[in-house]
mmCIF file of all heavy atoms in Angstrom:
data_model
loop_
_atom_site.group_PDB
_atom_site.id
_atom_site.type_symbol
_atom_site.label_atom_id
_atom_site.label_comp_id
_atom_site.label_asym_id
_atom_site.label_seq_id
_atom_site.Cartn_x
_atom_site.Cartn_y
_atom_site.Cartn_z
ATOM 1 N N LEU A 130 -17.977 -11.649 -11.603
ATOM 2 C CA LEU A 130 -18.209 -13.151 -11.665
ATOM 3 C C LEU A 130 -19.537 -13.492 -12.328
ATOM 4 O O LEU A 130 -19.709 -14.567 -12.903
ATOM 5 C CB LEU A 130 -18.122 -13.771 -10.265
ATOM 6 C CG LEU A 130 -16.696 -13.812 -9.675
ATOM 7 C CD1 LEU A 130 -16.753 -14.303 -8.233
ATOM 8 C CD2 LEU A 130 -15.787 -14.729 -10.513
ATOM 9 N N TYR A 131 -20.540 -12.559 -12.249
ATOM 10 C CA TYR A 131 -21.802 -12.923 -12.720
ATOM 11 C C TYR A 131 -22.189 -12.298 -14.096
ATOM 12 O O TYR A 131 -23.142 -12.599 -14.708
ATOM 13 C CB TYR A 131 -22.966 -12.594 -11.697
ATOM 14 C CG TYR A 131 -22.905 -13.680 -10.582
ATOM 15 C CD1 TYR A 131 -21.981 -13.599 -9.547
ATOM 16 C CD2 TYR A 131 -23.756 -14.723 -10.626
ATOM 17 C CE1 TYR A 131 -21.858 -14.512 -8.587
ATOM 18 C CE2 TYR A 131 -23.684 -15.716 -9.653
ATOM 19 C CZ TYR A 131 -22.754 -15.625 -8.622
ATOM 20 O OH TYR A 131 -22.692 -16.630 -7.668
ATOM 21 N N SER A 133 -20.778 -12.821 -16.826
ATOM 22 C CA SER A 133 -20.762 -13.896 -17.889
ATOM 23 C C SER A 133 -22.045 -14.708 -17.866
ATOM 24 O O SER A 133 -22.497 -15.156 -18.932
ATOM 25 C CB SER A 133 -19.531 -14.755 -17.757
ATOM 26 O OG SER A 133 -19.514 -15.341 -16.449
ATOM 27 N N ARG A 134 -22.666 -14.851 -16.728
ATOM 28 C CA ARG A 134 -23.960 -15.576 -16.685
ATOM 29 C C ARG A 134 -25.010 -14.804 -17.466
ATOM 30 O O ARG A 134 -25.821 -15.371 -18.211
ATOM 31 C CB ARG A 134 -24.432 -15.753 -15.251
ATOM 32 C CG ARG A 134 -23.468 -16.491 -14.329
ATOM 33 C CD ARG A 134 -24.131 -17.775 -13.822
ATOM 34 N NE ARG A 134 -23.457 -18.289 -12.645
ATOM 35 C CZ ARG A 134 -22.585 -19.344 -12.686
ATOM 36 N NH1 ARG A 134 -22.311 -19.931 -13.806
ATOM 37 N NH2 ARG A 134 -22.052 -19.856 -11.605
ATOM 38 N N LEU A 135 -25.034 -13.486 -17.383
ATOM 39 C CA LEU A 135 -25.941 -12.655 -18.124
ATOM 40 C C LEU A 135 -25.644 -12.762 -19.647
ATOM 41 O O LEU A 135 -26.590 -12.991 -20.449
ATOM 42 C CB LEU A 135 -25.909 -11.175 -17.654
ATOM 43 C CG LEU A 135 -26.697 -10.242 -18.564
ATOM 44 C CD1 LEU A 135 -28.135 -10.594 -18.576
ATOM 45 C CD2 LEU A 135 -26.527 -8.768 -18.116
ATOM 46 N N LYS A 137 -24.161 -15.058 -21.310
ATOM 47 C CA LYS A 137 -24.511 -16.410 -21.792
ATOM 48 C C LYS A 137 -26.050 -16.541 -21.955
ATOM 49 O O LYS A 137 -26.489 -17.118 -22.894
ATOM 50 C CB LYS A 137 -24.001 -17.444 -20.757
ATOM 51 C CG LYS A 137 -23.764 -18.794 -21.367
ATOM 52 C CD LYS A 137 -23.027 -19.688 -20.412
ATOM 53 C CE LYS A 137 -23.434 -21.153 -20.713
ATOM 54 N NZ LYS A 137 -23.147 -21.994 -19.559
ATOM 55 N N PHE A 352 -9.078 -18.165 -9.293
ATOM 56 C CA PHE A 352 -9.590 -17.706 -10.606
ATOM 57 C C PHE A 352 -8.598 -17.568 -11.737
ATOM 58 O O PHE A 352 -9.000 -17.081 -12.791
ATOM 59 C CB PHE A 352 -10.307 -16.339 -10.404
ATOM 60 C CG PHE A 352 -11.363 -16.277 -9.415
ATOM 61 C CD1 PHE A 352 -11.342 -15.544 -8.260
ATOM 62 C CD2 PHE A 352 -12.524 -17.123 -9.628
ATOM 63 C CE1 PHE A 352 -12.346 -15.512 -7.317
ATOM 64 C CE2 PHE A 352 -13.566 -17.085 -8.677
ATOM 65 C CZ PHE A 352 -13.476 -16.320 -7.528
ATOM 66 N N GLN A 357 -4.940 -23.651 -13.673
ATOM 67 C CA GLN A 357 -5.952 -24.680 -13.719
ATOM 68 C C GLN A 357 -5.620 -25.716 -14.831
ATOM 69 O O GLN A 357 -5.053 -25.355 -15.828
ATOM 70 C CB GLN A 357 -7.358 -24.097 -13.881
ATOM 71 C CG GLN A 357 -7.811 -23.472 -12.588
ATOM 72 C CD GLN A 357 -8.912 -22.388 -12.723
ATOM 73 O OE1 GLN A 357 -9.644 -22.515 -13.747
ATOM 74 N NE2 GLN A 357 -8.972 -21.504 -11.833
ATOM 75 N N LEU A 495 -28.200 -11.953 -12.217
ATOM 76 C CA LEU A 495 -28.911 -13.246 -12.358
ATOM 77 C C LEU A 495 -30.366 -13.078 -12.734
ATOM 78 O O LEU A 495 -30.925 -13.822 -13.471
ATOM 79 C CB LEU A 495 -28.819 -14.020 -11.070
ATOM 80 C CG LEU A 495 -27.484 -14.763 -10.806
ATOM 81 C CD1 LEU A 495 -27.525 -15.533 -9.467
ATOM 82 C CD2 LEU A 495 -27.159 -15.798 -11.915
ATOM 83 N N ARG A 502 -33.647 -15.700 -20.244
ATOM 84 C CA ARG A 502 -33.827 -17.105 -20.574
ATOM 85 C C ARG A 502 -35.296 -17.520 -20.566
ATOM 86 O O ARG A 502 -35.620 -18.690 -20.716
ATOM 87 C CB ARG A 502 -33.071 -17.974 -19.534
ATOM 88 C CG ARG A 502 -31.564 -18.062 -19.776
ATOM 89 C CD ARG A 502 -30.778 -18.602 -18.566
ATOM 90 N NE ARG A 502 -31.262 -19.928 -18.207
ATOM 91 C CZ ARG A 502 -31.053 -20.513 -16.954
ATOM 92 N NH1 ARG A 502 -30.470 -19.749 -16.030
ATOM 93 N NH2 ARG A 502 -31.470 -21.734 -16.727
ATOM 94 N N VAL A 512 -31.909 -19.542 -6.043
ATOM 95 C CA VAL A 512 -32.157 -20.819 -6.726
ATOM 96 C C VAL A 512 -31.418 -20.925 -7.996
ATOM 97 O O VAL A 512 -30.742 -21.976 -8.292
ATOM 98 C CB VAL A 512 -33.712 -21.103 -6.923
ATOM 99 C CG1 VAL A 512 -33.933 -22.366 -7.679
ATOM 100 C CG2 VAL A 512 -34.494 -21.072 -5.587
ATOM 101 N N LEU A 513 -31.444 -19.847 -8.759
ATOM 102 C CA LEU A 513 -30.681 -19.876 -10.036
ATOM 103 C C LEU A 513 -29.188 -20.070 -9.845
ATOM 104 O O LEU A 513 -28.537 -20.788 -10.548
ATOM 105 C CB LEU A 513 -30.919 -18.569 -10.809
ATOM 106 C CG LEU A 513 -32.341 -18.209 -11.224
ATOM 107 C CD1 LEU A 513 -32.376 -16.751 -11.667
ATOM 108 C CD2 LEU A 513 -32.736 -19.146 -12.323
ATOM 109 N N ASP A 514 -28.769 -19.391 -8.814
ATOM 110 C CA ASP A 514 -27.298 -19.543 -8.383
ATOM 111 C C ASP A 514 -26.916 -20.962 -8.048
ATOM 112 O O ASP A 514 -25.914 -21.481 -8.523
ATOM 113 C CB ASP A 514 -27.060 -18.585 -7.233
ATOM 114 C CG ASP A 514 -25.541 -18.384 -6.920
ATOM 115 O OD1 ASP A 514 -24.743 -18.388 -7.905
ATOM 116 O OD2 ASP A 514 -25.221 -18.333 -5.735
ATOM 117 N N ASP A 515 -27.791 -21.620 -7.211
ATOM 118 C CA ASP A 515 -27.611 -22.988 -6.840
ATOM 119 C C ASP A 515 -27.505 -23.895 -8.092
ATOM 120 O O ASP A 515 -26.612 -24.701 -8.214
ATOM 121 C CB ASP A 515 -28.694 -23.488 -5.894
ATOM 122 C CG ASP A 515 -28.619 -22.907 -4.511
ATOM 123 O OD1 ASP A 515 -27.620 -22.309 -4.183
ATOM 124 O OD2 ASP A 515 -29.598 -23.042 -3.759
ATOM 125 N N GLU A 516 -28.452 -23.665 -8.988
ATOM 126 C CA GLU A 516 -28.538 -24.538 -10.144
ATOM 127 C C GLU A 516 -27.297 -24.398 -11.038
ATOM 128 O O GLU A 516 -26.681 -25.346 -11.507
ATOM 129 C CB GLU A 516 -29.754 -24.197 -10.922
ATOM 130 C CG GLU A 516 -31.048 -24.712 -10.336
ATOM 131 C CD GLU A 516 -32.309 -24.171 -11.015
ATOM 132 O OE1 GLU A 516 -32.131 -23.410 -12.026
ATOM 133 O OE2 GLU A 516 -33.343 -24.445 -10.528
ATOM 134 N N ALA A 517 -26.943 -23.090 -11.224
ATOM 135 C CA ALA A 517 -25.720 -22.835 -12.053
ATOM 136 C C ALA A 517 -24.486 -23.451 -11.471
ATOM 137 O O ALA A 517 -23.667 -24.063 -12.264
ATOM 138 C CB ALA A 517 -25.539 -21.284 -12.287
ATOM 139 N N LEU A 518 -24.334 -23.374 -10.162
ATOM 140 C CA LEU A 518 -23.093 -23.888 -9.532
ATOM 141 C C LEU A 518 -23.116 -25.389 -9.629
ATOM 142 O O LEU A 518 -22.107 -26.042 -9.964
ATOM 143 C CB LEU A 518 -22.980 -23.367 -8.112
ATOM 144 C CG LEU A 518 -21.739 -23.927 -7.338
ATOM 145 C CD1 LEU A 518 -20.477 -23.459 -8.014
ATOM 146 C CD2 LEU A 518 -21.783 -23.625 -5.885
ATOM 147 N N ALA A 519 -24.223 -25.989 -9.317
ATOM 148 C CA ALA A 519 -24.357 -27.443 -9.339
ATOM 149 C C ALA A 519 -23.997 -27.919 -10.777
ATOM 150 O O ALA A 519 -23.276 -28.954 -10.905
ATOM 151 C CB ALA A 519 -25.781 -27.891 -8.917
ATOM 152 N N ALA A 520 -24.492 -27.285 -11.824
ATOM 153 C CA ALA A 520 -24.180 -27.674 -13.159
ATOM 154 C C ALA A 520 -22.682 -27.554 -13.485
ATOM 155 O O ALA A 520 -22.069 -28.498 -14.097
ATOM 156 C CB ALA A 520 -25.006 -26.829 -14.162
ATOM 157 N N ASP A 521 -22.086 -26.454 -13.001
ATOM 158 C CA ASP A 521 -20.642 -26.260 -13.254
ATOM 159 C C ASP A 521 -19.839 -27.362 -12.508
ATOM 160 O O ASP A 521 -18.868 -27.916 -13.106
ATOM 161 C CB ASP A 521 -20.171 -24.911 -12.691
ATOM 162 C CG ASP A 521 -20.551 -23.800 -13.618
ATOM 163 O OD1 ASP A 521 -21.103 -24.082 -14.716
ATOM 164 O OD2 ASP A 521 -20.262 -22.629 -13.282
ATOM 165 N N LEU A 522 -20.214 -27.664 -11.326
ATOM 166 C CA LEU A 522 -19.441 -28.710 -10.520
ATOM 167 C C LEU A 522 -19.631 -30.062 -11.188
ATOM 168 O O LEU A 522 -18.625 -30.842 -11.280
ATOM 169 C CB LEU A 522 -20.006 -28.773 -9.116
ATOM 170 C CG LEU A 522 -19.491 -27.629 -8.184
ATOM 171 C CD1 LEU A 522 -20.093 -27.805 -6.777
ATOM 172 C CD2 LEU A 522 -17.961 -27.665 -8.066
ATOM 173 N N ARG A 523 -20.807 -30.392 -11.690
ATOM 174 C CA ARG A 523 -20.976 -31.703 -12.358
ATOM 175 C C ARG A 523 -20.052 -31.796 -13.537
ATOM 176 O O ARG A 523 -19.423 -32.815 -13.782
ATOM 177 C CB ARG A 523 -22.481 -31.843 -12.821
ATOM 178 C CG ARG A 523 -23.373 -32.387 -11.751
ATOM 179 C CD ARG A 523 -24.765 -32.911 -12.337
ATOM 180 N NE ARG A 523 -25.423 -31.892 -13.094
ATOM 181 C CZ ARG A 523 -26.226 -30.966 -12.517
ATOM 182 N NH1 ARG A 523 -26.442 -30.959 -11.179
ATOM 183 N NH2 ARG A 523 -26.886 -30.077 -13.257
ATOM 184 N N LYS A 524 -19.892 -30.709 -14.235
ATOM 185 C CA LYS A 524 -19.039 -30.660 -15.427
ATOM 186 C C LYS A 524 -17.572 -30.842 -15.073
ATOM 187 O O LYS A 524 -16.845 -31.551 -15.737
ATOM 188 C CB LYS A 524 -19.289 -29.310 -16.183
ATOM 189 C CG LYS A 524 -18.943 -29.401 -17.640
ATOM 190 C CD LYS A 524 -19.540 -28.227 -18.393
ATOM 191 C CE LYS A 524 -18.557 -27.668 -19.401
ATOM 192 N NZ LYS A 524 -18.837 -26.320 -19.785
ATOM 193 N N HIS A 525 -17.133 -30.085 -14.073
ATOM 194 C CA HIS A 525 -15.677 -30.024 -13.767
ATOM 195 C C HIS A 525 -15.184 -30.937 -12.704
ATOM 196 O O HIS A 525 -14.054 -31.318 -12.702
ATOM 197 C CB HIS A 525 -15.316 -28.582 -13.457
ATOM 198 C CG HIS A 525 -15.575 -27.608 -14.547
ATOM 199 N ND1 HIS A 525 -14.782 -27.622 -15.701
ATOM 200 C CD2 HIS A 525 -16.491 -26.647 -14.737
ATOM 201 C CE1 HIS A 525 -15.298 -26.699 -16.552
ATOM 202 N NE2 HIS A 525 -16.282 -26.131 -15.990
ATOM 203 N N ALA A 526 -16.110 -31.298 -11.697
ATOM 204 C CA ALA A 526 -15.628 -32.119 -10.578
ATOM 205 C C ALA A 526 -16.163 -33.515 -10.616
ATOM 206 O O ALA A 526 -15.802 -34.337 -9.779
ATOM 207 C CB ALA A 526 -16.002 -31.359 -9.299
ATOM 208 N N GLY A 527 -17.012 -33.835 -11.535
ATOM 209 C CA GLY A 527 -17.518 -35.204 -11.696
ATOM 210 C C GLY A 527 -18.160 -35.754 -10.434
ATOM 211 O O GLY A 527 -19.055 -35.160 -9.812
ATOM 212 N N GLU A 528 -17.578 -36.869 -9.947
ATOM 213 C CA GLU A 528 -18.145 -37.559 -8.833
ATOM 214 C C GLU A 528 -18.051 -36.769 -7.520
ATOM 215 O O GLU A 528 -18.852 -37.016 -6.621
ATOM 216 C CB GLU A 528 -17.367 -38.882 -8.567
ATOM 217 C CG GLU A 528 -17.446 -39.887 -9.670
ATOM 218 C CD GLU A 528 -16.587 -41.087 -9.312
ATOM 219 O OE1 GLU A 528 -15.711 -41.016 -8.442
ATOM 220 O OE2 GLU A 528 -16.834 -42.124 -9.933
ATOM 221 N N ARG A 529 -17.055 -35.898 -7.470
ATOM 222 C CA ARG A 529 -16.898 -35.163 -6.226
ATOM 223 C C ARG A 529 -17.896 -34.024 -6.104
ATOM 224 O O ARG A 529 -17.912 -33.340 -5.097
ATOM 225 C CB ARG A 529 -15.425 -34.669 -6.189
ATOM 226 C CG ARG A 529 -14.431 -35.741 -6.121
ATOM 227 C CD ARG A 529 -12.946 -35.208 -6.157
ATOM 228 N NE ARG A 529 -12.706 -34.381 -5.002
ATOM 229 C CZ ARG A 529 -11.979 -33.254 -5.019
ATOM 230 N NH1 ARG A 529 -11.411 -32.916 -6.186
ATOM 231 N NH2 ARG A 529 -11.763 -32.547 -3.942
ATOM 232 N N ALA A 530 -18.636 -33.801 -7.145
ATOM 233 C CA ALA A 530 -19.564 -32.605 -7.164
ATOM 234 C C ALA A 530 -20.472 -32.567 -5.983
ATOM 235 O O ALA A 530 -20.527 -31.515 -5.284
ATOM 236 C CB ALA A 530 -20.275 -32.562 -8.472
ATOM 237 N N PRO A 531 -21.208 -33.597 -5.647
ATOM 238 C CA PRO A 531 -22.152 -33.505 -4.475
ATOM 239 C C PRO A 531 -21.435 -33.172 -3.234
ATOM 240 O O PRO A 531 -21.947 -32.379 -2.445
ATOM 241 C CB PRO A 531 -22.825 -34.905 -4.424
ATOM 242 C CG PRO A 531 -22.598 -35.504 -5.797
ATOM 243 C CD PRO A 531 -21.280 -34.950 -6.279
ATOM 244 N N MET A 533 -18.611 -31.613 -2.773
ATOM 245 C CA MET A 533 -18.090 -30.225 -2.830
ATOM 246 C C MET A 533 -19.282 -29.261 -2.631
ATOM 247 O O MET A 533 -19.160 -28.261 -1.874
ATOM 248 C CB MET A 533 -17.360 -29.969 -4.138
ATOM 249 C CG MET A 533 -15.997 -30.620 -4.202
ATOM 250 S SD MET A 533 -15.290 -30.624 -5.803
ATOM 251 C CE MET A 533 -14.742 -28.931 -6.024
ATOM 252 N N MET A 534 -20.373 -29.499 -3.260
ATOM 253 C CA MET A 534 -21.589 -28.668 -3.108
ATOM 254 C C MET A 534 -21.955 -28.578 -1.639
ATOM 255 O O MET A 534 -22.269 -27.510 -1.120
ATOM 256 C CB MET A 534 -22.699 -29.183 -3.963
ATOM 257 C CG MET A 534 -23.869 -28.263 -4.226
ATOM 258 S SD MET A 534 -23.413 -26.962 -5.379
ATOM 259 C CE MET A 534 -24.933 -25.998 -5.279
ATOM 260 N N LEU A 537 -19.583 -26.417 0.322
ATOM 261 C CA LEU A 537 -19.737 -25.043 0.047
ATOM 262 C C LEU A 537 -21.029 -24.429 0.556
ATOM 263 O O LEU A 537 -21.274 -23.221 0.492
ATOM 264 C CB LEU A 537 -19.696 -24.794 -1.505
ATOM 265 C CG LEU A 537 -18.305 -25.130 -2.158
ATOM 266 C CD1 LEU A 537 -18.471 -25.126 -3.681
ATOM 267 C CD2 LEU A 537 -17.246 -24.128 -1.761
ATOM 268 N N GLY A 542 -23.632 -17.114 -3.571
ATOM 269 C CA GLY A 542 -23.239 -16.060 -4.518
ATOM 270 C C GLY A 542 -21.728 -16.030 -4.746
ATOM 271 O O GLY A 542 -21.017 -17.094 -4.733
ATOM 272 N N PRO A 543 -21.192 -14.827 -4.915
ATOM 273 C CA PRO A 543 -19.804 -14.719 -5.206
ATOM 274 C C PRO A 543 -18.846 -15.252 -4.125
ATOM 275 O O PRO A 543 -17.796 -15.835 -4.401
ATOM 276 C CB PRO A 543 -19.559 -13.169 -5.333
ATOM 277 C CG PRO A 543 -20.788 -12.530 -4.944
ATOM 278 C CD PRO A 543 -21.901 -13.531 -4.928
ATOM 279 N N ARG A 545 -19.347 -17.865 -2.370
ATOM 280 C CA ARG A 545 -19.272 -19.326 -2.559
ATOM 281 C C ARG A 545 -18.340 -19.645 -3.737
ATOM 282 O O ARG A 545 -17.553 -20.638 -3.665
ATOM 283 C CB ARG A 545 -20.697 -19.893 -2.831
ATOM 284 C CG ARG A 545 -20.696 -21.378 -2.976
ATOM 285 C CD ARG A 545 -22.103 -21.988 -2.835
ATOM 286 N NE ARG A 545 -23.081 -21.354 -3.758
ATOM 287 C CZ ARG A 545 -24.328 -21.740 -3.862
ATOM 288 N NH1 ARG A 545 -24.780 -22.699 -3.042
ATOM 289 N NH2 ARG A 545 -25.103 -21.170 -4.717
ATOM 290 N N LEU A 546 -18.427 -18.907 -4.858
ATOM 291 C CA LEU A 546 -17.499 -19.135 -5.965
ATOM 292 C C LEU A 546 -16.079 -18.918 -5.531
ATOM 293 O O LEU A 546 -15.166 -19.579 -5.999
ATOM 294 C CB LEU A 546 -17.862 -18.165 -7.118
ATOM 295 C CG LEU A 546 -19.257 -18.424 -7.720
ATOM 296 C CD1 LEU A 546 -19.479 -17.419 -8.921
ATOM 297 C CD2 LEU A 546 -19.470 -19.837 -8.227
ATOM 298 N N LEU A 547 -15.862 -17.924 -4.672
ATOM 299 C CA LEU A 547 -14.499 -17.620 -4.197
ATOM 300 C C LEU A 547 -14.015 -18.733 -3.313
ATOM 301 O O LEU A 547 -12.848 -19.193 -3.493
ATOM 302 C CB LEU A 547 -14.548 -16.291 -3.377
ATOM 303 C CG LEU A 547 -13.234 -15.953 -2.663
ATOM 304 C CD1 LEU A 547 -12.107 -15.779 -3.687
ATOM 305 C CD2 LEU A 547 -13.406 -14.668 -1.862
ATOM 306 N N LEU A 549 -14.808 -21.863 -3.539
ATOM 307 C CA LEU A 549 -14.461 -22.932 -4.463
ATOM 308 C C LEU A 549 -13.136 -22.646 -5.131
ATOM 309 O O LEU A 549 -12.269 -23.537 -5.264
ATOM 310 C CB LEU A 549 -15.585 -23.036 -5.515
ATOM 311 C CG LEU A 549 -15.389 -23.967 -6.675
ATOM 312 C CD1 LEU A 549 -15.183 -25.408 -6.202
ATOM 313 C CD2 LEU A 549 -16.568 -23.902 -7.609
ATOM 314 N N ALA A 550 -12.939 -21.448 -5.602
ATOM 315 C CA ALA A 550 -11.713 -21.110 -6.343
ATOM 316 C C ALA A 550 -10.485 -21.172 -5.465
ATOM 317 O O ALA A 550 -9.459 -21.662 -5.884
ATOM 318 C CB ALA A 550 -11.891 -19.725 -7.032
ATOM 319 N N SER A 553 -9.750 -24.884 -4.458
ATOM 320 C CA SER A 553 -9.252 -25.738 -5.551
ATOM 321 C C SER A 553 -8.086 -25.107 -6.261
ATOM 322 O O SER A 553 -7.543 -25.638 -7.268
ATOM 323 C CB SER A 553 -10.404 -26.098 -6.524
ATOM 324 O OG SER A 553 -11.057 -24.926 -6.890
ATOM 325 N N PHE A 560 -10.080 -29.145 -0.860
ATOM 326 C CA PHE A 560 -11.244 -29.762 -0.124
ATOM 327 C C PHE A 560 -10.740 -31.008 0.645
ATOM 328 O O PHE A 560 -11.336 -32.042 0.660
ATOM 329 C CB PHE A 560 -12.291 -30.146 -1.142
ATOM 330 C CG PHE A 560 -13.053 -28.933 -1.684
ATOM 331 C CD1 PHE A 560 -12.562 -28.212 -2.802
ATOM 332 C CD2 PHE A 560 -14.181 -28.424 -1.036
ATOM 333 C CE1 PHE A 560 -13.212 -27.153 -3.334
ATOM 334 C CE2 PHE A 560 -14.797 -27.288 -1.524
ATOM 335 C CZ PHE A 560 -14.336 -26.669 -2.672
#
Side-chain angles (χ1 to χ4, degrees):
L130 289 173
Y131 285 81
S133 56
R134 301 239 196 260
L135 171 61
K137 201 170 153 202
F352 301 117
Q357 283 160 28
L495 279 180
R502 283 165 59 201
V512 174
L513 298 168
D514 189 38
D515 287 346
E516 285 170 4
L518 179 64
D521 281 358
L522 282 177
R523 274 196 302 277
K524 202 164 140 200
H525 298 290
E528 296 179 341
R529 298 175 60 216
M533 285 167 78
M534 195 73 186
L537 296 168
R545 182 164 57 178
L546 297 181
L547 173 59
L549 171 61
S553 50
F560 287 88

